[in-house]
Amino acid sequence: MKPPQIRTVVIVEDDEQTRARFIDKIATCPNLAVVGEAASCAEALARLAEVQPDVLLVDLGLPDGDGADIIQYATRLSRVPAIMVITVFGDEQRVLRAIRSGASGYLLKTDPAHDICASIEELLAGGAPISPVIARYLIRHFREDSAQEGVDTESAGLTERELEVLRLAAKGYTYQEVADLLGLSVNTVGTHTRIVYRKLAVGSRSEAVFEAARLGLVDVPWRRT
């Protein structure tokens, strides 16, 4: 029998006790391994220069900057990790910046129901683990933006090919994987993706997935805790 694939995790969290608690919990997950930790933006950049993990867990309130800057950096790596925010901050500005920077999950530390192992597994499966209060806020925000932008809520004006690309992206496939599945070039997938972003009036994959889910174009398993 083929052994299970071990997925690697880097944790960016400035509170030592909280970071240790995450590490201890992830150590109980049979398919996950923490390969790096950082307590600041500078340390996070150093870790990501050494190892490109499958998963990046990021706090936002770091002593030398905003965790969203780390998220933006990670999305430019040759191997982009699945990114999830775990923070105490649930205000509009921080939530939107993190999502627009490339985070696919957003959990509040004050949410007692979240299970870090289950959330990471969900993230790796293409899901979007979101604390309920954040999910409700995002849906309301994107609904208001869509109304202002005049987005067609039936299909958003997307072609069948654009919908195919969007639905595969929502499942977590990379550009190369989408290209292989649809028999397209990576450049063509990138072009379709940019058109999808423009039609949905969004600026990132995370925003596109949230907006498409709200419109009923894709099925995203937001975890309800």
Side-chain angles (χ1 to χ4, degrees):
M1 179 181 295
K2 185 178 179 181
Q5 181 182 7
I6 302 299
R7 312 301 290 272
T8 57
V9 181
V10 165
I11 301 173
V12 183
E13 165 61 59
D14 65 315
D15 183 81
E16 185 175 356
Q17 290 185 340
T18 302
R19 191 170 66 250
R21 188 166 64 251
F22 286 155
I23 291 172
D24 289 345
K25 181 62 178 176
I26 292 171
T28 69
C29 309
N31 300 330
L32 301 174
V34 175
V35 295
E37 56 181 287
S40 67
C41 290
E43 288 183 9
L45 293 177
R47 296 293 85 73
L48 291 173
E50 297 168 351
V51 58
Q52 293 189 20
D54 297 303
V55 178
L56 178 63
L57 303 183
V58 188
D59 189 12
L60 297 182
L62 299 173
D64 58 345
D66 192 324
D69 295 329
I70 303 303
I71 296 172
Q72 290 178 340
Y73 174 83
T75 61
R76 295 193 293 269
L77 295 173
S78 58
R79 182 167 174 262
V80 180
I83 304 171
M84 182 162 61
V85 170
I86 303 182
T87 186
V88 297
F89 299 109
D91 58 281
E92 175 180 351
Q93 183 177 1
R94 288 181 184 269
V95 171
L96 291 179
R97 187 178 181 213
I99 295 298
R100 286 170 175 161
S101 295
S104 296
Y106 199 113
L107 297 179
L108 295 176
K109 293 177 183 177
T110 53
D111 178 1
H114 76 72
D115 180 315
I116 187 66
C117 292
S119 295
I120 293 174
E121 293 290 354
E122 181 181 350
L123 189 74
L124 288 167
I130 303 286
S131 288
V133 64
I134 301 298
R136 288 193 294 271
Y137 165 72
L138 288 172
I139 291 173
R140 183 174 67 252
H141 172 80
F142 291 132
R143 180 184 298 123
E144 291 170 353
D145 275 3
S146 296
Q148 293 171 2
E149 296 291 336
V151 175
D152 175 2
T153 57
E154 181 176 349
S155 66
L158 300 178
T159 66
E160 189 59 37
R161 178 63 82 187
E162 289 160 2
L163 283 171
E164 288 179 324
V165 170
L166 175 59
R167 286 164 180 159
L168 289 172
K171 294 180 179 179
Y173 290 106
T174 65
Y175 277 13
Q176 184 61 65
E177 289 168 336
V178 173
D180 292 342
L181 287 167
L182 298 181
L184 304 172
S185 71
V186 173
N187 287 339
T188 299
V189 171
T191 298
H192 283 310
T193 300
R194 288 190 293 274
I195 293 172
V196 168
Y197 287 0
R198 187 180 71 245
K199 289 182 177 180
L200 293 180
V202 299
S204 70
R205 174 187 289 219
S206 298
E207 283 187 291
V209 171
F210 281 120
E211 178 63 10
R214 187 191 66 77
L215 296 173
L217 301 177
V218 301
D219 181 20
V220 179
W222 286 336
R223 192 165 61 89
R224 288 166 173 79
T225 56

